Amino acid sequence: MRSFLFFAALPIHWVTAFSFNAYDLGFRGIYPRQHFHSVDLEAPAPRITQWDSRCDSGNLFLTPRGPFVNGAARGPVILDARGNLVWMEHDQFEQAMNFNVQKYKGEDYLTFWTKTKKKRHSKHSKKSYVLLNSSYEVVHRVHPHGAGLKADSHEFRITPQGTALITIHHKHQADCTELGLGKSCWIQDGQFQEIDIETGDLLFEWRATDHIRMSDVFSSPSRKDGYGKSKKDAFDFFHINSVDKTDSGDYLISGRYMHAVLCISSKTGEILWQLGGKNNHFEDLNGATDFAWQHHVTWQGNNTISLFDNHANNVFHNPTAHSKGMLIHLDMEKMTATLLQAFVHPDKILNVSQGSVQVLPESGNVLVGFGNSPTYVEYSAEGKMLCNAHFAPHLVFEIIDFGLVKSYRVFKHPWVGRPKTVPDVKVKRGKVYVSWNGATEVTGWRLETARAVEAKDHEFVTMQEAKRDGFETSFALRKNHRYVRVAALDASHGVMAYSAVVKTPSPSLAFWSIFFLVFGCMVLCFGFLGLVFLYGKFPELPRPPKLSGLRARLGAVVAGNYREHNPESEPLLLNDRDP
């Protein structure tokens, strides 16, 4: 009865959204994972609740993190559209955010912000932006310009001109009279830089305190955003979280705490126009400025922008509010803003931070990542939900968004990976498991055997072939072959690479013990059934003594032996008599 009253008191969309299954009730853990035999990787195991063939076939790019994402589960992750692991790395990169595929000089690169262990005598911070080629090798690192400036995780966008747009949160002292904190307090300033990737030269820099009044923001000194009394307690007044470029070459930035999108002149740094916030320049025709605490503002061309509207900044929020993706068209002549489409989660969830909106170029679909809530949804251009998935139980984000599991952004792209490693193989319990982290062109596997570990290629004999089955494929060992290896096959059945040669373990003593135990039990059972059959077929055969008669005979024998050997029935010797 109490459970019924509890759910009856919740908003109706919370109750209908809650799924009573093992995954969503947390029986697979707060962060369900895929486990493998051949490698020590723990990828997210998303639950797809809706699938449509019209969903884009690209791979998903996530950076799961949170207090329950640790060890072999950390790092950038690529999943296929169905949630199978393609590639992940948890050793080289301690932490990653904003994982994406971007073009640089005509080639596709994996790009993200990362936090790695700082090398001794290195002049660079352990935080940087990296570009990985198709072999998953770091070919470029980008660092911010300026003493004491650290790479910020919010944005790393590569322009068609081969430059990088990055965000910086810089702590310094400023005049805080407008906030009532006196002429000097510590603030966390919002900056962005444009840097030439090839040369590392600084091309442009902008900071919020040069152009934004502190009275124009919606945040105020607090425990969450800082009180401004010290550098450690610096007040985060602007919170820049995205940078892009318009067709004219000007900059488009998101000021989360202003509830506004700003267009910055690439020549003077002045604010050309503002959408939303206290100094909005546009006439809102249909809810185009109904956003707050937003993320991931992107220029889509044709005077159209996309953004993710968080609509909240803390977990204690109005339960009727919800987050959404937005497509907004701006008429620069009439200075009007029109909401083209809103993309609302089917459960109307509200996540307090992070999030992304990506218009997929191939299909025109829109992928929305819900940031602090571990879920992503793909919509048609008209706003119809096509595919829906989440990678943590509903239990941890449907009612209160604590961010126990999250991904800053979620993207979808085609990707071709050609690692320079070899396939990983593991023999375990009569099976051979094989995988190749990051190899996207493998279509099948071939299991081969040889008599020696140093055997030449022509000495290996094919045992079995199998189609690729997700990230990891297994073979059953039908014979006790001493050494095996696995060949990765491409679409034309050519060999891409061979795994290392591994020795198959000999059957253990425990195996033979179990075998003979089972065999002995089977012999006894068949023997008993045989006797039953014989006595039924030939009743004249002598019968074994009945159990009651046998018991009586045994009793008599035991009693006789007792009397025969009872010391009290024997005469006592002289030395045994009492004195």
Side-chain angles (χ1 to χ4, degrees), residues 386-437:
L386 301 177
C387 292
N388 182 14
H390 53 279
F391 50 99
H394 276 155
L395 184 69
V396 304
F397 69 92
E398 283 285 1
I399 298 177
I400 299 180
D401 179 29
F402 283 121
L404 299 179
V405 178
K406 53 199 168 189
S407 179
Y408 176 58
R409 292 173 178 171
V410 179
F411 292 108
K412 208 173 196 182
H413 296 281
W415 173 251
V416 177
R418 300 185 178 99
K420 293 183 178 179
T421 57
V422 297
D424 295 287
V425 65
K426 178 78 172 181
V427 179
K428 188 176 181 181
R429 296 177 183 174
K431 286 189 175 183
V432 178
Y433 297 91
V434 63
S435 64
W436 195 1
N437 191 21

Side-chain angles (χ1 to χ4, degrees), residues 50-56 384-387:
Q50 179 169 322
W51 177 263
D52 191 296
S53 59
R54 291 172 291 175
C55 282
D56 194 276
K384 180 181 179 181
M385 184 179 71
L386 301 177
C387 292

Side-chain angles (χ1 to χ4, degrees), residues 81-152:
R82 289 287 190 172
N84 297 303
L85 178 63
V86 175
W87 176 82
M88 71 178 297
E89 171 60 53
H90 66 85
D91 287 329
Q92 187 177 2
F93 308 108
E94 184 179 344
Q95 187 177 335
M97 286 178 64
N98 198 17
F99 189 26
N100 203 354
V101 175
Q102 300 190 73
K103 281 194 178 296
Y104 174 63
K105 294 186 175 181
E107 298 291 332
D108 285 338
Y109 288 88
L110 300 178
T111 65
F112 52 93
W113 170 92
T114 182
K115 177 182 176 183
T116 55
K117 295 180 180 179
K118 185 177 180 180
K119 296 181 180 179
R120 294 184 63 184
H121 310 299
S122 173
K123 65 179 181 179
H124 292 304
S125 165
K126 62 181 180 179
K127 298 177 181 179
S128 63
Y129 310 95
V130 296
L131 285 79
L132 275 61
N133 61 18
S134 60
S135 297
Y136 305 97
E137 301 167 321
V138 177
V139 293
H140 290 286
R141 282 189 185 270
V142 178
H143 299 271
H145 277 254
L149 297 183
K150 297 180 180 180
D152 175 69

Side-chain angles (χ1 to χ4, degrees), residues 443-446 465-466 488-496:
T443 60
W445 303 97
R446 185 168 68 217
E465 288 191 3
L489 307 177
D490 60 19
S492 61
H493 213 68
V495 176
M496 300 174 62

